Amino acid sequence: VAFHFSGYLPDRPLELSVGNHRHPVHCDRSLGRLLTFYFEELTAHGLAEWSARHYRFSRFPSGIPIDRRLRELFKEYEAELRREIDPFTPAGEATYCRAVLLPSPGAASLLPLLLAAIYRERADLRTFQPDADLDPDPLLRWFSLSGVHEMGYVDLFDRHRPVVPRAEGLRRLARLRDELPQVFDACEQPLGRDRQTLLTGLEAAGRGDLARGIRELTDEIYSVSAVFTVWRLVREREDLRLKFPDLLDKGAESFTSWLRIFGTRLELLDGDTPARFAHAARGGALARIFSFLDRSPGLASAWPLALAGVDAPQFARLLLACLGHCPEYDLDDVVMYLWLMEERPWSGLPLVLELRANGSRQPSPLLEEGQEALLAPLLASRAEFGRALDDFRKRYAALADDEVASLRKVGGQASASPVRRLGVNLFGFFRSPIGLGSMSRGLASALRGGGLEVRENLLGNLAMGPGLRPEEFLRRYDFGLGTNLFVSFPHFEGPLLKTFPAALVASRRNVAYLAWEQREANPLWAPNFQAFDQVWALSSFAANGLAEALDREVLVVPCAIDPVEFESAAARLRRKVEPGDHARFALLHTFDANSSIERKNPEAVVAAFARAFRPGEPASLWLRIANAQRWPHRRRLRRLAQQASATGLDIRFHCQPLSRPDYLALLVNSDALVSLHRAEGFGMTCAEAMAAGKPTIATGYSGNLEFMNRDNSLLVDFREVEVRTAEGPFRGGSLWAEPSVEHAARQMRWIYENRAAAIEIGERGRAAVLEKLSPAAVGTLAVAALGPPR
């Protein structure tokens, strides 16, 4: 017989368990003897010693207790924490403790996670500081002065608080150390783990004033974010405000240089702080927030003047609430927005006029009377808004008389003009590093290659490139051109044309250029594209499915690839060869995690590589993954990393953001590209690799067959299967390919063993791309698709 003493407590030796009411000991002598025996055995085998021990996982290695509140926070925000680090190591402790002492994108607050949790629990704190989510300083001072003692977080705060010490405070401490060396003798880390010892010593030495300053963080800046730290520094340093009066805009570059040279040395700022400030300054933060707001028409209608400071606190809370799902802006951008709206809210006035939701107002904000009607509350509040509006009008030329007249018509519908120039207003994602961006930029070059005038109108997207500025969104539309062409995707929510002001789309030819990756499409999308004069797709594969679903003709215009970019990259970059590495072979697989990992199928690439090569062979697989840092992708990518590690092969992950030149360097330095996709609307990575002359292995299925065949590339066998994991717009039960891992492995091995023949295939692929996908070739197709001008 086996008996398990679950629930037994030695301090209640004659109770079977706390919750036992069915088996009282006084009614069962056998049970009583058993419990007495067990208690005596426990006592004889070190009960006192073991009872004094703590549960192994109740504390971090330094002894900091992990209480209920911390455990709940780790559970609530586990998706955003680096869970691959063991919390019960010094490095893991630092990661997890620092995480709860910082704000989180998913918490909708500038308060650190731990303090935000305490704030939610305590009504007195919410009464004391009702705006702590946007102005955390007073609550941070309370937490440092008394909150850490009340809530039991002294050691956690002292060891792991993310602060930037003030240089003057450190100098005071240095002088005091010379005066009172005995106070510091017991303090190995006086501003860290030994902070309480230092404070006690200062009080005993009669320096309570200095102790209080340390407790209240007077000599430290709690680093909520890089921009928050700089904002606090500028607030406190009048000399900086005098030297750089326009540091948020025109003076940002020189102030960034000061941060880089002096801020990191004298003010002890983190090394990445200057770059993060520069990223958010000069309108960068405002441009990214505009990108989010402009593609959210419902929010834009509710917050028409928020970019110029109206209801800025409430709008900032909205931005914080959306932060976890909108990766085009970050916490630094929200802080910069608050800083801008406090000091120079008129800097957002041009973007207010550019919001598509505002463009549908009457009178139109394209007209002076419309601008004055929309901006009336602002113009009445401060003279700077009036000057900003005057500057905007001077910068952008007035509309022609006939366009002004048409905009003044009831409803703002522009009348048909007898004179429209041959050309295109192209609405695209020109500043986005993802496939839609390449698609937009390629189409612009193709249309110009076909002899058309093109005006680029920038659309916002979840991913926007570095260096984005507000002026890139402003007044790009040319009313004199007769065609609008919209780069988009078919699963757009609602009719696409209705998101643009009527004056821009009426009495013109409107064309939708759609990116779609399956041979089936959703018939429910059809109403959203009825108002378009034409619909284009990237390949015959995508066009056939869209034509059936939308019940209309869909024309094929492939993406354009600029051969000059790849020729110059190949000439400029040379493969980096390490000593003894001349025979090394590198396969590249690249994909965007935001664009459906299930569709890109990286697990099959790793599995095929593991079949093709043995440990010790000079072969590498490079996995370049864009947007890998987003928490929705972490679990799957972690499994992918574990799969790669288990092979014992040289598999390298490139997950950091790459500039275009860095990506081209990675491509040029590889020997071949592999894509075991389940479906592609076009296959941009394959086309770019072929343009660079790289032999390319790809699934012999979907849009990449527009330019790939068995003569110019290495196609992989497949079978068509149902979608098992629905992701994004790809529905369960729809169809796509399952490439053969075995055949892909043979193709990899063939390239490895037949380098010269593979190079010849790469050259044939390059020639095919030059012939079919050059801007001139695609431009001819695009002009033919548009047909004669109206």
Side-chain angles (χ1 to χ4, degrees), residues 414-417 420-427 447 452-453 477-486 497 502-513 531-536 552 555 781-790:
S415 59
S417 172
R420 292 227 191 267
R421 301 195 312 280
L422 180 63
V424 174
N425 275 300
L426 179 58
F427 293 83
L447 292 170
L452 294 180
E453 181 181 355
Y477 192 83
D478 189 332
F479 279 88
L481 301 179
T483 298
N484 294 325
L485 210 164
F486 301 87
L497 280 183
L504 271 61
V505 300
S507 72
R508 290 173 173 81
R509 173 170 48 191
N510 296 298
V511 180
Y513 187 37
F532 282 93
D533 297 284
Q534 291 183 346
V535 175
W536 296 358
R552 61 177 300 161
L555 303 175
L781 293 175
V783 171
L786 287 173
R790 295 185 176 181

Side-chain angles (χ1 to χ4, degrees), residues 306-377:
L307 295 176
V310 174
D311 296 325
Q314 292 80 4
F315 183 63
R317 290 188 176 95
L318 169 72
L319 293 174
L320 288 169
C322 297
L323 189 58
H325 309 285
C326 301
E328 71 253 56
Y329 67 90
D330 59 19
L331 197 67
D332 278 329
D333 289 333
V334 179
V335 174
M336 179 58 77
Y337 167 78
L338 288 168
W339 189 355
L340 274 170
M341 295 307 108
E342 178 182 286
E343 296 205 0
R344 41 183 308 122
W346 52 88
S347 61
L349 182 144
L351 291 175
V352 167
L353 297 175
E354 197 64 31
L355 277 174
R356 279 182 274 167
N358 287 341
S360 299
R361 291 171 175 263
Q362 291 302 317
S364 169
L366 293 168
L367 304 173
E368 291 192 0
E369 57 263 37
Q371 295 166 1
E372 291 166 4
L374 173 63
L375 303 174

Side-chain angles (χ1 to χ4, degrees), residues 216-289:
E216 292 184 340
L217 300 181
T218 301
D219 291 326
E220 298 174 325
I221 298 176
Y222 199 108
S223 185
V224 170
S225 79
V227 172
F228 182 87
T229 303
V230 176
W231 189 9
R232 278 283 309 274
L233 181 66
V234 171
R235 275 180 174 176
E236 298 170 6
R237 296 261 318 250
E238 184 179 2
D239 60 323
L240 290 179
R241 298 195 298 275
L242 292 174
K243 182 175 179 62
F244 304 101
D246 197 15
L247 60 84
L248 295 180
D249 191 14
K250 295 177 181 177
E253 186 174 350
S254 56
F255 181 62
T256 300
S257 297
W258 183 90
L259 289 174
R260 188 177 297 112
I261 298 170
F262 299 104
T264 55
R265 297 177 184 177
L266 302 182
E267 296 295 341
L268 308 178
L269 300 177
D270 288 341
D272 66 341
T273 295
R276 291 172 64 179
F277 171 81
H279 182 64
R282 289 188 57 225
L286 215 54
R288 286 183 289 277
I289 292 171

Side-chain angles (χ1 to χ4, degrees), residues 48-55:
E49 176 192 349
W50 286 98
S51 296
R53 296 196 179 192
H54 290 289
Y55 171 55

Side-chain angles (χ1 to χ4, degrees), residues 516-523 525 541 545 549 596 598-599 678-679 701 719-738:
W516 179 238
E517 290 88 2
Q518 280 187 289
R519 74 174 179 90
E520 298 174 300
N522 194 333
W525 298 335
F541 171 81
S596 177
E598 184 73 9
R599 180 172 67 84
R678 292 187 165 105
Y701 177 84
R719 56 189 177 90
E720 202 166 41
V721 300
E722 290 187 356
V723 174
R724 294 189 300 272
T725 302
E727 189 175 54
F730 308 108
R731 299 174 297 165
S734 60
L735 298 177
W736 59 18
E738 189 62 50

